Each structure stands twice: as structure tokens, then as C-alpha cells.
Amino acid sequence: MNTFPEARVCPPDRRMPALALLSLLQFLIAVDVTVVNVALPTIGGQFHAPTASLSWVVTGYTLVGGGLLLLGGRVTDLLGRRRMFLLGAALFALASLAAGLAPDLPTLIGARFAQGAGEALASPAAMSLIALLFPEPRERAKALGIWGGISASGLVAGVLLSGVITELLHWRWIFGINVPLAALVLLITPRLVPADGPRVRTERLDLPGAVLLTAGPLSLVYGVLESAPWAIAAGALLLIAFVAVEARTKHPLVPLSFFAHRTRAVANAVTILLSAALSTAFFLLTLYMQDVLSLGPLRAGLAFLPFCAVLLLVITQVPRLIGAIGVKHTALVGLALTAAGLAWLARLPDEGAYAVDVLPGMVGVAAGMGVGLLALQNAALQGVGEHDAGTAAGVQRSVDQLGGSLGLAVLVGVAVGDAGVDGFRTAFLYALIGVVAAAVGLLLAARDEAAPDS
């Protein structure tokens, strides 16, 4: 029986168009994770900015988004999913416009922070709307597969679009294209997605928790990128303080009891390590193809097309795989495929060839990403209801974002610390170790859960 009122009032013939609309905004959000990479040298030249400052144009977006996602998920549960989706889409559109018109680097970085805040509202709202609009496990897995596949494709499309737009138009248009498409989402969503019921906010929002969860990772990444031990220590203390606040506050962002659900807790922990490996592989492959294989920005973007094709193909099979072997075993298949791809990339030669040295590892990582992340998304939403769907979605998206950002900072720091391609190989090896550890942890958790009570 369907226990979600919002799903009951949505006519069946509107659910797929609504899913397409939710996925469109998520595609734009994902595009903006990678769309600035190729354009960074041009932006730095115009603003006369050093590389260290430019890095915040990339990491600031994902760190602020990831840090505020739990708050976004909680606000979604309290104030309404459609309301928060529309508010997040509007903030994302306005911030994109500000980024495209930015007169200097600080303004651009501030606009990127605001884009992240828009994502923090829109993404968990969209994910929880999907969970409620498609309450049956099989159809939910299929819907999340479509949403996740479009989102993942946005990461690849961002690289290609960045090269094309920067070369043929101007870097400012990498942000400008968001505005009309986000406006389209704002106009059509009220026609397809049912209105929220009346909401009475009876709980106070945990703003201290949101601040600590955002400031902690920002401090950690700053410490890693700038080799500042004090910032790393401060970031660790801020995250410890976050746990303490969540344990004592009356209305936490996410009750610690939320993680008492074994499947959801393990899924989120594994997501951190898998996202760290995937973000690192994506970033380092881009550098390897441009710096070592001497591919131009446009050719490097085109070189990711097989990645995108494999990802989309695999995603279409994930619901069937989940139905056949279950969510946990599907996640293990994804981790195994990712590990195989990383193992291949950990042997990148100093003078390699795309077809032999890059493509096989890229295909493995793409297949592992499609299978692993979608299975973990489904596991992270197991057992959710009307009262905590937004929180569950916010937690899953937050660990995905923060895991990817922190892992990227640490592993890219390793790569930069070693000379040349040697650093790339070391970073891929450490990413491989992380994924293997995640698989072992998932295996042990599944075995413990399956064991009879003693």
C-alpha cells in the first residue's frame, strides 16, 4: 500500500514527465561540477589569478553544496519538497547569472558558493520527490537509475561543453546556459509536480550543525591544498563538534539514530570511498590526456564519450540487476568493476596511448560508477517514509559530494607531491585501496546481517 500522500495525488501519466524535469535540473547541477575545469586557465588569465585561488572555483561549489545538503534535506521534510525544489532551482539560476557576469574572481567564487547552496536545496528535494512518486521498489530503482544516469552524464558533458564553449564563445557562457534551462524548470514544475500540503514548522532548524558541516570540510580541503596543518586540525575539530552538536541538539540535521538502520549506514559509508575514487579518476584522467597525451581541450572532452556511452548502457541494466541479485550484491559488482578500472589506471605509463592505457581503465570506472552509485543510492533510501525521505536523500547526496571533494583534495595532493605520471599512478593506487576497503566493509556488513542471532 502506498503510504505517501504526495505520490497518490500525482496522476500516473505525469510521473515520467515530472521525472524528466527533475532530471534536467540535476543534469545542470552535475554539469557545473566539471564545466569549469577546461576553462580555468582562461578565467585565470582574465582575472590574473594564481592556480591556488582558481581551485576554489571548482571545490567551493561541491563543498558548500555537500556541506548544506543535510540542511536542505531537513528543510525539504519540514517545508515541502516542491517548494524547496523550486527555491533551489531559482537560487541556482540566479547564482549562475551572477557567475556569468562576475567582474572579478572573488565575485565568481561567491557565485559558485551560491550555486552550491541552490544545489543543496534542489537535489535532496528532487531525490525525495522521486522516492515518493515511485514508491514501489522496482519502479523506484528504475526512476533513480534514470535520474542518476542523467546526472552522471552531466559530469562528462561538462568537460565537453567547457572546451566547446570556451573555444567557440566565451567562458562566461558556461554559466549563462544554465539560466534559460533553469527558468524552464521553474515554469513547468508547478504543472507536473503536485503541490505540497500545508506545512506547519514545529521544529527549529539546526543552523549550528549546518555551519559546522560546511566549515569543517572547507577547512580540511584548505589545509590539504595549502599544506597547512593548523587548518587540517581545525577541520577535524569542527567535524567532531558537528557530531557533538547533533548528539545534543533537540532537532538535529540528521538524528544519529538515523544511522541505526544498518543498510543505510553502510551504504553511505561506502559511498564516501567510492565517490573519492571516482572524482579522482575523472580529474586525473583529464590532466593525463591533456598534459601527457597532448590532447587539446576539445579532443580531451571527446575522449570521454566512451565513458558516457558505457555509463548510460550500464545504468539501463541496474534495475534488472538489483531485481536479480539484490541491492548489496549489485553494489559489490559496481565496486569490483571500479577496482578493475583503477588497477588498470594505476599502471599508466609515462608515454602512453589512449586506446591501450586509458580507455580500458576508463570503461571499468564508468561501469563501476553506473552500477555502484545507483545501487548505493537505492540502499541509502531503504525504509524511508514521509517523515525522513528528504533527510535520507540529503545524507546520501552529502556523503557523495563531500566524499568526492575531500578524496579529490587528498589524492590529487598525493599526485602533485610526486613527480610527473608517478604521482598519477600513486593516486590511482590509493584510490584502488579505498575501493577495496569499501568492498570488504560491505561484505562484512552483509555477512553480519545475514548471520542468525546467536
Side-chain angles (χ1 to χ4, degrees), residues 233-388:
L237 289 174
L238 288 170
L239 290 178
I240 292 171
F242 167 74
V243 175
V245 166
E246 296 306 285
R248 299 184 63 180
T249 189
K250 188 175 181 181
H251 302 295
L253 284 178
V254 52
L256 297 185
S257 59
F258 176 85
F259 296 103
H261 191 289
R262 172 74 68 85
T263 299
R264 290 200 300 247
V266 172
N268 284 304
V270 171
T271 297
I272 293 174
L273 294 173
L274 181 57
S275 295
L278 295 174
S279 297
T280 300
F282 197 90
F283 184 81
L284 291 183
L285 282 176
T286 304
L287 292 182
Y288 183 81
M289 288 190 291
Q290 294 189 62
D291 296 344
V292 179
L293 303 186
S294 300
L295 301 181
L298 184 55
R299 290 182 64 198
L302 290 172
F304 273 100
L305 289 179
F307 181 102
C308 190
V310 170
L311 181 65
L312 292 176
L313 177 63
V314 166
I315 282 172
T316 62
Q317 303 303 313
V318 173
R320 184 179 301 175
L321 193 59
I322 290 176
I325 63 176
V327 171
K328 292 175 187 174
H329 288 94
T330 301
L332 285 170
V333 170
L335 291 170
L337 290 169
T338 304
L342 291 172
W344 189 268
L345 296 174
R347 47 158 296 281
L348 282 176
D350 292 339
E351 296 181 4
Y354 169 75
V356 176
D357 301 303
V358 175
L359 186 57
M362 178 186 287
V363 167
V365 170
M369 180 179 181
V371 175
L373 285 184
L374 290 184
L376 292 170
Q377 281 181 4
N378 277 271
L381 291 175
Q382 281 196 5
V384 300
E386 172 68 16
H387 66 291
D388 62 356

Side-chain angles (χ1 to χ4, degrees), residues 47-316:
F47 292 145
H48 307 288
T51 303
S53 298
L54 283 175
S55 67
W56 286 104
V57 180
V58 179
T59 58
Y61 173 66
T62 54
L63 285 172
V64 171
L68 294 178
L69 273 168
L70 285 178
L71 180 64
R74 197 69 190 129
V75 170
T76 290
D77 284 335
L78 293 175
L79 301 182
R81 293 162 181 82
R82 195 182 82 167
R83 294 187 187 102
M84 293 304 102
F85 177 76
L86 291 172
L87 180 60
L91 178 56
F92 182 81
L94 291 173
S96 297
L97 180 62
L101 299 175
D104 50 42
L105 188 63
T107 304
L108 176 57
I109 293 174
R112 291 286 283 170
F113 284 3
Q115 280 187 308
E119 178 203 2
L121 289 175
S123 191
M127 198 171 178
S128 59
L129 277 171
I130 292 170
L132 300 180
L133 292 174
F134 297 88
E136 296 300 322
R138 283 184 177 273
E139 64 178 8
R140 177 185 292 180
K142 183 178 179 181
L144 286 173
I146 294 171
W147 185 77
I150 292 175
S151 174
S153 299
L155 297 174
V156 179
V159 176
L160 179 58
L161 286 173
S162 184
V164 172
I165 293 173
T166 302
E167 287 189 15
L168 301 182
L169 296 173
H170 193 279
W171 67 263
R172 295 184 182 277
W173 282 103
I174 65 178
F175 302 111
I177 59 173
N178 292 333
V179 179
L181 293 175
L184 182 67
V185 170
L186 288 168
L187 286 173
I188 301 179
T189 295
R191 299 176 180 273
L192 295 178
V193 179
D196 299 310
R199 302 278 174 168
V200 179
R201 209 188 88 185
T202 59
E203 299 180 15
R204 300 179 64 180
L205 294 176
D206 179 18
L207 296 180
V211 170
L212 289 169
L213 187 59
T214 305
L218 282 170
S219 182
L220 283 174
V221 169
Y222 177 84
V224 171
L225 293 177
E226 302 294 332
S227 299
W230 66 267
I232 296 175
L237 289 174
L238 288 170
L239 290 178
I240 292 171
F242 167 74
V243 175
V245 166
E246 296 306 285
R248 299 184 63 180
T249 189
K250 188 175 181 181
H251 302 295
L253 284 178
V254 52
L256 297 185
S257 59
F258 176 85
F259 296 103
H261 191 289
R262 172 74 68 85
T263 299
R264 290 200 300 247
V266 172
N268 284 304
V270 171
T271 297
I272 293 174
L273 294 173
L274 181 57
S275 295
L278 295 174
S279 297
T280 300
F282 197 90
F283 184 81
L284 291 183
L285 282 176
T286 304
L287 292 182
Y288 183 81
M289 288 190 291
Q290 294 189 62
D291 296 344
V292 179
L293 303 186
S294 300
L295 301 181
L298 184 55
R299 290 182 64 198
L302 290 172
F304 273 100
L305 289 179
F307 181 102
C308 190
V310 170
L311 181 65
L312 292 176
L313 177 63
V314 166
I315 282 172
T316 62

